[in-house]
């Protein structure tokens, strides 16, 4: 039955669900959080029992730890600047206990179906029945449903998506094998760099469709995300030019290392951060090829006419945005297009919110905390949304501002600069408080 104890439901107890739970508890708002796994932490749980984690054994985050902290609870001093996934997971456990959030999480309780009722409330179906809620917050993340390419031909050897990669021996024994890694995002270059160590893969081939501007984790002896930071009061075009010049001066062009010339400018694609790839390519440990043209049984042909004998393929080709608990006729994201007002609201469904559905730079953790505080204000009645038409107009302007300079790709449908986002969100928050005051 619907009642005060069932007012708000959160799906997911990863970083987005944790941030949302904390913001609600800070305001004394009761909620239930449903987690499919028996542990919290989502994507940062190595071999998460829910099967949705993409953390591999050697994974280190490419954002410095100061950009990952929850407000009021710093990371331990003995954590490294760029944390291993075990540090991140333990930190999330500590955050939940420090802020007293664990009792609100119901583990091993996946939501099988979420249905919007005619009155705007929600029916959530579980294995043991149906529970009704007034508001629904989706915090499941978007890095769990692997996206596979569709290349012509067939390949005779084993293939996996990077989502399932654990280490050079699990789930495939790649020692002494000729391995192709497809993609040039952060997971692709991490896995390629690891496998290219002498004594592991016999030959490591990295295929990239667009090329990439690869930047190291450190510039001038400082973490990259503390050197190149956005200023909301300076024109974005000028900041991008300055950042591009800095990267070119300190790193140089990708071609000098043996990478193909990118078909886009610096900062017009999601940055690839790696301190290893350029050296590996320069050493000849990684052979770089353009996009795949055709799979040919025991070999792969590339669009430049080259052909490589290959034993195994790892596709590091990103993820689909999908929701197993929503009917696809109600909510879906074809081609990963998923427009939201301030990356949270669908204009026609004010009782439904999404937290963490952005490719936030430099980090999703600070981003979701700002989202969560704003949503908590809305749920407390202190903020009122604009009209649906106004929301759509703002969405169009925000998309042009945040994503207009990126190359057209399903990888860049949710790009968001955290600093710019927060600056603009504060303005909207202030307008929404005035609307709420007039409505009171």
């Amino acid at each position: 039955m619907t009642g005060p104890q069932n007012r708000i439901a959160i799906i997911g107890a990863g970083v987005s669900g944790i941030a949302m739970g904390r913001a609600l508890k800070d305001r004394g708002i009761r909620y239930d959080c449903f987690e499919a796994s028996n542990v919290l932490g989502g994507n940062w749980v190595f071999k998460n029992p829910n099967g949705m984690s993409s953390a591999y054994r050697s994974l280190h985050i490419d954002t410095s730890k100061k950009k990952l902290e929850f407000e009021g609870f710093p990371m331990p001093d003995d954590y490294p600047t760029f944390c291993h996934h075990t540090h991140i997971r333990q930190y999330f456990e500590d955050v939940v206990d420090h802020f007293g959030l664990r009792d609100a999480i119901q583990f091993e309780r996946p939501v099988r179906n979420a249905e919007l009722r005619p009155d705007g409330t929600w029916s959530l179906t579980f294995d043991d029945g149906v529970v009704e809620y007034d508001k629904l917050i989706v915090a499941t993340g978007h890095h769990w449903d692997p996206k596979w390419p569709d290349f012509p031909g067939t390949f005779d050897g084993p293939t996996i998506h990077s989502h399932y990669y654990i280490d050079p021996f699990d789930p495939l024994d790649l020692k002494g094998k000729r391995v192709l890694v497809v993609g040039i995002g952060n997971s692709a270059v991490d896995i390629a760099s690891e496998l290219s160590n002498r004594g592991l893969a016999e030959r490591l081939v990295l295929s990239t469709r667009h090329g990439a501007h690869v930047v190291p984790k450190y510039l001038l002896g400082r973490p990259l995300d503390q050197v190149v930071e956005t200023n909301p009061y300076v024109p974005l075009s000028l900041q991008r030019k300055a950042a591009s010049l800095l990267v070119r001066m300190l790193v140089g062009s990708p071609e000098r290392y043996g990478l193909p010339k990118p078909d886009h400018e610096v900062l017009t694609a999601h940055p690839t951060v790696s301190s290893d790839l350029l050296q590996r390519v320069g050493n000849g440990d990684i052979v770089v090829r353009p996009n795949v043209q055709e799979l040919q049984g025991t070999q792969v042909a590339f669009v430049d006419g080259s052909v490589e004998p290959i034993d195994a393929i790892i596709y590091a080709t990103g993820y689909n945005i999908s929701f197993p608990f929503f009917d696809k006729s109600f909510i879906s994201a074809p081609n990963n297009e998923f427009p939201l007002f301030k990356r949270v609201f669908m204009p026609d469904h004010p009782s439904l919110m999404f937290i963490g559905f952005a490719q936030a730079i430099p980090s999703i953790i600070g981003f979701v905390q700002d989202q969560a505080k704003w949503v908590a204000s809305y749920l407390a009645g202190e903020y009122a949304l604009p009209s649906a038409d106004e929301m759509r107009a703002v969405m169009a302007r925000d998309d042009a501002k945040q994503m207009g300079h990126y190359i057209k790709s399903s990888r860049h449908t949710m790009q968001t600069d955290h600093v710019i986002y927060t600056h603009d969100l504060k303005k909207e928050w202030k307008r929404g408080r005035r609307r709420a005051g007039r409505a009171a």
Side-chain angles (χ1 to χ4, degrees):
M1 297 294 293
T2 303
Q5 72 276 17
N6 295 335
R7 181 172 178 234
I8 298 169
I10 301 173
I11 304 178
V15 58
S16 299
I18 293 169
M20 191 67 247
R22 185 209 171 170
L24 292 176
K25 183 168 184 181
D26 284 349
R27 289 180 170 272
I29 300 173
R30 296 186 63 177
Y31 67 93
D32 293 328
C33 179
F34 301 105
E35 169 55 48
S37 183
N38 60 0
V39 293
L40 60 88
N43 216 29
W44 286 98
V45 179
F46 181 59
K47 293 188 175 182
N48 194 320
N50 66 12
M52 296 181 180
S53 171
S54 58
Y56 38 93
R57 195 179 303 278
S58 61
L59 176 63
H60 288 75
I61 199 163
D62 55 21
T63 306
S64 64
K65 70 176 183 180
K66 290 299 180 184
K67 301 290 185 179
L68 304 175
E69 295 175 337
F70 274 76
E71 184 177 325
F73 191 72
M75 283 192 166
D77 291 338
D78 61 353
Y79 273 25
T81 301
F82 292 97
C83 296
H84 187 248
H85 63 74
T86 53
H87 296 113
I88 304 295
R89 185 206 170 162
Q90 184 57 55
Y91 177 66
F92 289 162
E93 293 278 355
D94 294 342
V95 165
V96 165
D97 289 334
H98 178 79
F99 293 110
L101 309 178
R102 195 173 296 272
D103 288 347
I105 303 173
Q106 298 183 33
F107 292 100
E108 296 183 282
R109 195 154 162 78
V111 177
R112 301 302 184 187
N113 186 62
E115 183 178 353
L116 180 64
R117 293 162 55 85
D119 63 357
T121 61
W122 292 88
S123 291
L124 302 189
T125 301
F126 302 90
D127 291 335
D128 60 354
V130 177
V131 184
E132 296 175 7
Y133 285 89
D134 293 332
K135 310 289 184 182
L136 177 61
I137 302 171
V138 178
T140 53
H142 52 93
H143 286 143
W144 62 270
D145 182 6
K147 182 170 64 176
W148 298 78
D150 184 20
F151 294 128
T154 58
F155 180 67
D156 294 342
T159 63
I160 61 169
H161 193 278
S162 59
H163 180 79
Y164 304 106
Y165 176 84
I166 299 299
D167 60 35
F169 309 99
D170 185 6
L172 302 176
D173 186 349
L174 299 171
K175 182 177 175 61
K177 301 296 175 58
R178 297 165 297 189
V179 181
L180 170 64
V181 177
V182 179
I184 200 163
N186 292 325
S187 295
V189 301
D190 277 359
I191 292 169
S193 296
E194 178 171 73
L195 289 172
S196 68
N197 279 287
R198 298 294 181 174
L200 289 176
E202 177 185 317
R203 185 172 176 83
L204 195 293
V205 181
L206 181 69
S207 169
T208 169
R209 180 174 50 177
H210 293 293
H213 297 277
V214 181
V215 292
K217 289 185 175 181
Y218 287 91
L219 283 178
L220 303 172
R222 296 175 57 201
L224 172 69
D225 54 33
Q226 296 178 27
V227 176
V228 181
E229 295 185 278
T230 305
N231 187 320
Y233 302 103
V234 178
L236 285 173
S237 59
L238 182 61
Q239 294 184 73
R240 289 172 187 135
K241 289 179 181 178
S244 175
L245 179 61
L246 179 64
V247 170
R248 290 184 183 276
M249 288 175 56
L250 298 180
V251 180
S253 63
E255 306 95 283
R256 292 185 177 181
Y257 297 88
L259 286 168
K261 183 178 180 179
D263 59 1
H264 57 276
E265 295 299 319
V266 176
L267 301 182
T268 61
H270 190 75
T272 297
V273 181
S274 174
S275 295
D276 298 322
L277 179 69
L278 298 178
Q279 180 180 339
R280 293 286 179 189
V281 174
N283 289 348
D285 296 331
I286 295 176
V287 177
V288 182
R289 296 285 184 248
N291 198 30
V292 172
Q293 182 177 56
E294 185 181 20
L295 306 176
Q296 300 178 342
T298 59
Q299 60 186 21
V300 176
F302 301 91
V303 295
D304 63 351
S306 62
V307 177
E308 291 276 351
I310 296 295
D311 298 314
I313 300 176
I314 300 173
Y315 291 112
T317 46
Y319 293 85
N320 300 303
I321 301 171
S322 62
F323 307 94
F325 40 80
F326 286 138
D327 189 300
K328 288 185 178 180
S329 64
F330 173 54
I331 293 179
S332 62
N335 300 313
N336 276 7
E337 296 284 348
F338 193 53
L340 296 168
F341 175 66
K342 296 302 177 186
R343 302 304 318 153
V344 171
F345 289 95
M346 302 182 77
D348 296 324
H349 303 298
S351 64
L352 174 62
M353 290 136 273
F354 296 84
I355 300 295
F357 282 81
Q359 195 70 33
I361 299 173
S363 162
I364 193 70
I365 295 179
F367 174 80
V368 295
Q369 290 181 81
D370 288 338
Q371 283 193 318
K373 286 185 283 188
W374 175 54
V375 169
S377 174
Y378 167 70
L379 294 173
E382 299 169 3
Y383 166 88
L385 288 165
S387 70
D389 287 342
E390 287 179 278
M391 282 192 268
R392 292 188 182 95
V394 171
M395 289 161 62
R397 292 195 297 269
D398 285 351
D399 284 354
K401 184 175 186 178
Q402 290 278 8
M403 297 183 288
H405 66 288
Y406 281 92
I407 60 174
K408 186 67 175 178
S409 168
S410 61
R411 188 186 181 201
H412 301 124
T413 59
M414 300 194 298
Q415 292 295 135
T416 305
D417 183 293
H418 177 205
V419 173
I420 298 298
Y421 175 87
T422 301
H423 178 75
D424 292 346
L425 182 63
K426 288 179 178 177
K427 294 180 180 178
E428 170 54 32
W429 198 341
K430 185 176 182 179
R431 290 190 288 267
R433 282 195 291 261
R434 289 198 295 268
R435 289 191 293 266
R438 290 195 297 268

